Every structure is written in C-alpha cells, then in structure tokens.
Amino acid sequence: MTAASFETLTQHVADLPAGDFVAHAAFLGKVPVLAMSDGRIRIGDASGAREVQAHDATILVAADDATRLVTGGDDGKVIAIDASGSLATLADEKGRWIDAVALGASGATAWSVGKRVNARDGKGRVKSLDLPSSSRGLCFAPKGYRLAATHANGTTLWFPAVSAEPERLEWKGSHLDVTWSPDGRFVVSSMQENQLHGWKLPEKTHMRMSGYPAKTRSLSWSGDGAWLATSGAEAAIIWPFSGTGPTGKAPRECGVRPKRTTQVAFHPKALVLAIGYEDGWVLLVRLTDAAELMVRRGTGGPVTALAWDGAGQRLLFGTEDGAAGLLTLPGG
C-alpha cells in the first residue's frame, strides 16, 4: 500500500527532537518522557521540555508504571525518575551491566545482573535469586509481589517475600522478554528461536506460537486482556487469549507492510493498536474493522519506543536515529 492511500494523522504530531537513540517512551501521569541511550531523560512536550542526566553511560533497559521511570545502564546503576525530574539511585552494581528491569505494585522494582535477579519492595528491602543463566526478561504479576524471570530453557516464577522454592516453567531454548497477562492466567516469553512460548497457569499447559521471520522483542496486551500483540513480522501478529488461550487458534495480522514491525502498543481503552516499523513508519490500526491511520511516514531508522497516555488521547514515539514525536488525537 502506498503512503498516499492512507488516511493520515500526521498534522496532529508535534516533533520532539531527541538527538539520540530513543530507548524508552512513557507518560508519567500526563507528562511525556523519553529515555535516550546516551543517558539523558527528556521530560515534557515541545512547549516546555527539560532534560536530566540519569546515567553517565548508556541506558540499556527501562520500564515505567505511569508514576515513575526506572532505567538500568552499563554503569551498573538502577535509577528512578519522576515527572519533576527528581532522580533516586535504587541500586549500584559497580559497573556490571543491568540486563533487565521491571516495576510492580506498591513501589516494587526488579533488576537482573548476570545470573542474579534482585527484587526491591516498596520499603526498600532487597531479596536476590540466582538463576540457571542470565535473565533478559523480567515482569511482575498483575497482582501480588511475584516476579517472572526468563533464562535458558524456561522462565522462573518467584515470590521474593516468602521462602518457598521458585516455580520453574520449562521449555528448551533461550528465552528473552516475558509478559504476564492482565488476568494473571498466562505467562508468555519471546525466544531467540523466533517464536513465543506460553504457559497457562496454574496447570503449566504449554502454548507454542511460531512462524516469525525475526525475533519478537515488543509485546503488548489489549486493555481487556483478550489479545496479545507482537512485533517481528511484516505485520503486527495478534494472538487471541480469551478462554483457553491461543492453542489451536490462528492469530490476526494487522498493519501489513513490506517492512517488519519493531514496536507495538495497544490503546489502553479501545481495540486500537499503534505499530512502529523498521523504516520509521507509525500506524494506528483498529481491530474491529482493520481501518488504518498513518501517524508518521518513515524517513529513517526503526521505531524503538511507543507509549500511550492513560487516557488514550496521546501517543509518544521515538526512533533509533534520534527522532521522536507526540500525537494528540483530534476531537478529545
């Protein structure tokens, strides 16, 4: 499909020059925030943005929970940032690379360094767990203080506050990112082998989701938890998770283009998906009728970050080559 054939929202996008690889996009309350790989955090929109230096090194990973942004760098530090730009050091691993971070309820934070995963509760108490291999994916359960951590040949579920043995979800291969369904019934990991693997809890029933031409590194649940959107193909691949999950069911493909998807982000309230591509394009696709709206016509590097605000009225995006923008949907 040609660019001219899309309806467009490009006139409602304000440029937010980032100047470097955008590692993460988020809204802290109503405030748009961009984390750049060079250690800077850009806070605010085009009318009054400011910057703070969170790391004197590269930001490797980041996560947010709408009130705070947490970053991990190759300086070994885990830093929390709020909407005012205030910084707090949560951990200092003395120069060891931070491989993954995650945020949970009541101020919980987790980060991984090599084979060790650390969980910090809202009162600052830290517990650690050693895994079979390094972990590049962490995710807290939607309720309670429980953490999922990927590693070689599976994913571990861990209650940091209790002495019970961690629960292993096994599947041969190298597991990367991990996500927990909003209802807590499914855990899904992306894999080095260009596929996803899932487990239905508590039975640990296996679900294999394959056929991707590239690795899936972006995962996003619909607001009702019925769909899981994924990157890694020349469309957003969207798996059905209502009922018993995707086993025996075909996924939907939305936003088909001759370029691979790199980022996906579901609207928080509607069945609308934001999709970023390897050529810098950004589209919105409505699942109910597959209608498409162009947000950005690609002009450079891959889209590396997408985020909706809590009201679903604004979409923030950033790219590998330092471009960024803020879409405000018309009509309120």
Side-chain angles (χ1 to χ4, degrees):
M1 184 175 287
T2 64
S5 65
F6 283 97
E7 293 187 47
T8 180
L9 292 169
T10 55
Q11 69 272 28
H12 300 287
V13 176
D15 290 334
L16 302 175
D20 200 79
F21 187 116
V22 179
H24 191 80
F27 284 89
L28 302 184
K30 297 182 179 181
V31 181
V33 177
L34 296 171
M36 271 69 72
S37 66
D38 62 5
R40 291 177 297 123
I41 308 296
R42 188 184 193 279
I43 302 170
D45 58 22
S47 65
R50 62 192 184 282
E51 291 186 353
V52 296
Q53 192 75 33
H55 298 263
D56 293 322
T58 301
I59 292 177
L60 300 173
V61 289
D64 71 277
D65 64 1
T67 62
R68 59 192 174 126
L69 170 71
V70 171
T71 57
D74 63 5
D75 57 0
K77 293 182 179 179
V78 180
I79 304 291
I81 305 101
D82 64 19
S84 72
S86 177
L87 304 178
T89 300
L90 303 183
D92 187 349
E93 298 288 351
K94 308 302 181 185
R96 300 181 67 198
W97 286 21
I98 308 300
D99 295 319
V101 293
L103 303 186
S106 303
T109 309
W111 65 96
S112 61
V113 180
K115 295 182 179 181
R116 176 158 292 186
V117 173
N118 304 283
R120 183 182 190 270
D121 67 17
K123 296 182 178 180
R125 296 171 296 197
V126 178
K127 295 292 183 67
S128 298
L129 176 70
D130 289 330
L131 297 173
S133 69
S134 60
S135 178
R136 300 196 178 275
L138 300 174
C139 180
F140 279 100
K143 295 181 180 180
Y145 189 39
R146 194 182 192 191
L147 185 69
T150 62
H151 46 77
N153 299 321
T155 295
T156 291
L157 307 184
W158 174 42
F159 285 106
V162 300
S163 58
E165 281 295 312
E167 183 178 6
R168 303 287 193 199
L169 303 177
E170 297 183 354
W171 187 259
K172 187 176 181 180
S174 179
H175 295 253
L176 304 174
D177 304 291
V178 65
T179 184
W180 215 310
S181 66
D183 62 8
R185 296 191 304 134
F186 301 98
V187 171
V188 179
S189 69
S190 61
M191 298 185 66
Q192 187 76 21
E193 292 80 7
N194 294 356
Q195 65 184 26
L196 305 179
H197 195 81
W199 296 267
K200 184 177 181 296
L201 305 177
E203 302 92 335
K204 302 185 187 179
T205 305
H206 292 280
M207 298 171 291
R208 184 181 178 186
M209 292 156 275
S210 58
Y212 290 87
K215 294 177 183 61
T216 295
R217 298 310 307 269
S218 181
L219 308 166
S220 179
W221 292 96
S222 60
D224 60 6
W227 300 93
L228 177 63
T230 65
S231 66
E234 293 180 348
I237 307 301
I238 307 171
W239 296 93
F241 272 83
S242 58
T244 58
T247 301
K249 303 173 186 176
R252 294 186 61 174
E253 297 185 15
C254 290
V256 178
R257 290 189 62 240
K259 297 293 182 179
R260 288 178 182 167
T261 57
T262 55
Q263 291 289 313
V264 290
F266 259 116
H267 189 281
K269 299 180 179 180
L271 286 178
V272 172
L273 183 68
I275 309 171
Y277 295 83
E278 63 182 346
D279 60 353
W281 278 46
V282 180
L283 296 181
L284 298 186
V285 179
R286 189 167 56 202
L287 267 64
T288 52
D289 59 4
E292 298 176 342
L293 289 170
M294 178 184 288
V295 175
R296 182 177 191 261
R297 183 179 290 110
T299 57
V303 176
T304 52
L306 283 174
W308 288 98
D309 69 359
Q313 187 60 25
R314 294 181 295 166
L315 176 71
L316 183 63
F317 62 84
T319 70
E320 184 178 279
D321 55 357
L326 178 63
L327 165 69
T328 301
L329 294 176

